[in-house]
Each structure stands twice: as C-alpha cells, then as structure tokens.
Amino acid sequence: MSAPVSPGLRSGSLPLLVALMTLLAGLSLAGLAGVQTLAESWSGAARNATTIEIPSDTPQLADRTHTLIQTLTKTPDVTTVRELSTKEVQTLLAPWLGQVSESAGLPGLSLPVVLIVAHTGTPDLGTIVQGVLPEAVVEEDRRWGERLNGLGNSLIACAWLAVSLIAAIAVLSVGMTVRRSVMAQRKSVEIVHFLGAGDLTISSRIAGRAALLSLAGSLVGLLLLSPVITMLARKLTPFSHGAPAAASPASTWDALIATWWSTLHVLPRMLLEELGALPLIAAGLGWLTAQTVVLVWLRRLP
Amino acid sequence: MIRLLNVSMMPPGVGQPVLRNLTLSVPQGEFRWLLGPSGAGKSSLLRLLTLETRPSAGQMDLLGVSVTHASRATLRNLRRRIGFVPQDYRLIGEWTVFDNVALPLRLRGASERDTRREAFAVLEWLDVAHLADKRPGTLSGGEQQRTAIARALIGRPELLLADEPTNALEDAQARRLLTTFQELIEMGTTVIVATHNEALVHEAPAASIVLQDGTIANTDIQGGMSVRRGERS
C-alpha cells in the first residue's frame, strides 16, 4: 500500500449502490437490445413485404391470379410471390372469424386469394396490380412498418432514458457518498491542505478509491445480473440461427461453462460489449465524480 | 522574513475585525515571542501566518512572497516552507505517529528511505520513536504535542510558528525545545512562539510582539533569543 499523503474515502454503502445501479443498467441495456432487435425485425419485415388480396367472386379467378403472379414475378426488385394456402388464410382470419376446420370450411363464405410479395426495393406494385387485376386490394405493409418502426424508436428512446437516469442516479449517489466522506474527515483534509498538499493530491487519492470501489461494486452487480441474462439468452435461443450446440463436456465445470457459453452466444454482440464495459464506465464515473466533488469542496479553503 | 503592513482580518460572519491595522516586520532568522491575554488575537495572527486565511485588508509578505493576492499554487508551495505546532496538535487520528510526522516530507516528494531516516531521527530526539506505530488517540497530551512538534520540525522549515508548544511538556522537554528553537534560528529559521507562560519567556528572553484587542500593543525588540542555562532542571 502506498504511503498516505491524504485521507482516503470512507466507502459506506458505495459498492452496494454501484452494484444495484449496475444491475438496473444491465437490465435496461438488455431491454434496449431486445427492443432494438425487435424494431429492426419489424421494420425490415414490414418494409419488404406487400399483401395482395383478391376477392373470391372475381371472374376467372384462377387464370387471372396466375397471370398476376407471372407479371409480379417478372417485376424488377420482386424476390418472391407466394400464394397463401387455404389453411394459412384461415389462420390469418382466425382472429375475426374464429377457428374453422379445413375440411368443413366456412359455410356460406368463400375465402379470398392472398398473395405475399417479397421485394427488396420499393416497386410500384399498386399500379401493376391495377393494370392486371383491378378487383385486387393491395395492402401496403410499409405503412404498418412505419408505425411499428415509430413504436420501436419510442421504446428505444425510453430504454435510453432509463439508462441515462440510472447513470445520473449513480453519479448523484457517488457524489453524495464522497461529500459525506469529505465532511466526516474535514479536519484531516484541512490538516493535509494546510501542510501544503495540492488539491489534486487530495482529490486523486479519494477519487482513486472511489473508482476502485465502483469497479468492485459494478462487478458484483454484473454477477447478480448474470442469472437474468442467462435466462434471457435461453428465451432467445429458439429464435437464434447458427448458435453452436454445446459439446459433450468432460466434467461438471466444463459442462457449466460450455452451456453458459453457448447460451451467451445467442445474445446480441453489442449487448455483451455494453455489459462488459459497465464496470469500466462505473469506475470512470466514480473517479470523475469524486474528483469533481473534492476539488469543488477544496475551493473553499484558501 | 515576515512583513505586515496595515493588515486586518475579519472572519466571515463576524461583524468586526479580530485583527486591526497590524504593521510589523520580523527579519529572517529571528525569534519573537507572541504575547497577550486570551482573545487578544494571537491565534488569529498565527492563522494568518500559517496561511489558513488571507488578510481582509493590508499587505502581507511571507518569506519574500506577497500573500495577499497569491495564487493557490503559490500558497501551497509557501505552506511547505512553514512549520506549525498548533495548540490542539491537529494530528490525523487514522494514521500512525510515523505517518503523521512523515507527511511534510512525503508532500515534498522525498524518497521513502530519506523520509524514514529523517522521521525517526526527529522522533528519537523528541523521545517518541517507540510510539511510531501508535495512533495519536492512544497517546498522552505530551506525547501528542511532541508528535506535532516533530511534524513541524521535520521539514526544516524556514518559518516555524508554535501556539503554546510547551503547555503539555515537562520542564526538561520544554527546555530542550527552547534549545532547538535557538539552533533553528542559528540555521536561519524565523521562529514565532505564542505563549501565556511567563516563566518560559523569562527563561529565554527575546524580542516580543504583544497583542491587545486585535492590535499591536507593544513591540519589544531586545535582541536575539538566549536560553538561560541551568535555571531549571
């Protein structure tokens, strides 16, 4: 331990506070990552798909539908044109019409033909469809996509607001702890000041300790967060593509680590990076806050 | 060298100055007793000279530096050239005696080896080396006072200020301290000692500054300090 040239920090509940703040920040970041993924998925799916509905009473329904599919398939930017099966249409309409058996169908009601057109750009499908089959209704999923995108962006903003709020509370907590500590050791701080200690000498010792305690508290917070993150990762596993299967481990520890690693693999890389950076951010915030509080306090002394 | 010209001091929140229009000059390497009844302003003058506060009016120069409008960095460097023995010792309770005494040298960036050697030399001289690892709270008043004296002396200050530095010391220790002051003066240190102890003043007659109601009542310049030898055991 280095020789003392200034009083240190009386930590109080600082590590516990930072641990809880890290836990909250981690949860918010996980939520944020989830919302971001969802928003991207919504906006991507909706932006690149168009639904075309052809009423069942359209004359020469089968031939004209076939012509429309041929025309759409040849249109630039259109990647696929798929006709939904009767079962798929029934499933699609189930929220309005209720469940009906495939064999029985819907008495007195014939189902429309539904086409799903996937595309990469923004082809003018409305004009093309009107030219071939004016009875068809073009449902531009883009509008829904825009709405969903807006909702996603709002959720992301809320999540960022929560993260910012947590950071502000953490700064406030560290600041109050440091100030309380300086007040409790006021006489000692004044003694070293009047013996010729520089402001930075005094503040750096306190700030160094604050950074160390914040780092330790944050690591504990991450440890508390790990079960939640693991659980979240397990929920995401069915939706992940290409997640490596856990190899058959030789021992229980190997099994745990392999399972944990394969579980973590499904989490967004950015979330893992953000969580990994949390202890460093906590330490940096602790150091900066403590420096500022002590330097401001010392300004009252001549 | 200490030079005060019409210096006044009014602490914040106090209606009137506790020091008024002080003008005095103490050349480098001289000794002064600081005398006066309680409340005369001795501690306030020491607070000014130890740079715990700035004058509210007037001009003050310490060790060739104008203090009145000096920057914080200048004051910090000046403080490292001043030794102070406060009446209430002002030791850091969480630290050991050794760490308290070593502080001035560590602040100057001295090596740990030199700091250790110097600290133990001064602690041994003051008969408290065996207490180096103790906390100040476990010491007697006299031991704490000697620790405070050790801290003031360790940096070989150019200006040494002491507020009742012998009130918890035995006669022999007080006499040794006076001898030390005399040695410091011979090495060029300016020494100012505030005391109520008339016997001590009688034992080491020297020039004095007498304060009364925040002003200088009398400046008695009667030559250098001279410790009378053999009058006390």
Side-chain angles (χ1 to χ4, degrees), chain B:
Chain B
M1 168 86 179
I2 298 171
R3 197 172 67 85
L4 272 68
L5 187 64
N6 294 322
V7 164
S8 295
M9 180 187 145
M10 188 157 70
V14 178
Q16 53 185 5
V18 290
L19 295 174
R20 292 194 304 275
N21 294 320
L22 299 190
T23 297
L24 66 91
S25 177
V26 182
Q28 193 61 31
E30 291 212 356
F31 181 94
R32 292 288 185 278
W33 290 113
L34 181 57
L35 307 173
S38 295
K42 298 193 298 293
S43 294
S44 297
L45 180 55
L46 286 177
R47 285 191 65 208
L48 268 184
L49 296 176
T50 53
L51 304 172
E52 287 180 32
T53 183
R54 292 190 201 232
S56 40
Q59 175 70 37
M60 183 168 95
D61 293 354
L62 281 186
L63 303 172
V65 177
S66 174
V67 166
T68 317
H69 301 295
S71 67
R72 286 175 72 83
T74 305
L75 291 184
R76 181 196 65 208
N77 292 334
L78 200 51
R79 285 184 186 113
R80 293 180 183 178
R81 298 162 65 192
I82 299 170
F84 180 42
V85 185
Q87 194 173 6
D88 56 359
Y89 320 134
R90 294 189 203 168
L91 300 171
I92 297 177
E94 292 86 355
W95 295 1
T96 63
V97 165
F98 172 79
D99 284 332
N100 270 282
V101 172
L103 181 59
L105 287 190
R106 284 175 174 162
L107 287 175
R108 289 184 198 178
S111 72
E112 203 52 32
R113 200 174 123 194
D114 289 349
T115 301
R116 201 164 180 81
R117 192 186 63 236
E118 293 276 329
F120 272 98
V122 74
L123 285 170
E124 274 166 21
W125 188 84
L126 286 160
D127 291 332
V128 281
H130 62 290
L131 305 172
D133 293 330
K134 302 260 186 204
R135 310 258 170 197
T138 63
L139 309 183
S140 69
E143 289 166 339
Q144 288 190 49
Q145 190 155 42
R146 279 181 280 160
T147 304
I149 293 168
R151 185 181 61 191
L153 295 179
I154 192 172
R156 297 180 196 214
E158 294 167 61
L159 170 61
L160 179 67
L161 305 158
D163 196 358
E164 304 285 0
T166 59
N167 63 356
L169 299 185
E170 294 169 9
D171 285 352
Q173 289 165 344
R175 194 173 177 77
R176 269 183 95 179
L177 187 61
L178 289 177
T179 308
T180 306
F181 288 159
Q182 199 161 26
E183 287 168 6
L184 286 170
I185 294 161
E186 284 162 12
M187 288 192 291
T189 300
T190 304
V191 181
I192 295 181
V193 177
T195 187
H196 280 110
N197 189 336
E198 288 180 14
L200 194 71
V201 177
H202 176 70
E203 195 167 333
S208 59
I209 302 160
V210 183
L211 288 178
Q212 180 79 47
D213 294 330
T215 59
I216 295 178
N218 184 22
T219 310
D220 174 20
I221 302 173
Q222 50 174 280
M225 180 201 197
S226 169
V227 180
R228 295 178 200 274
R229 296 181 190 279
E231 290 187 9
R232 296 171 78 176
S233 53

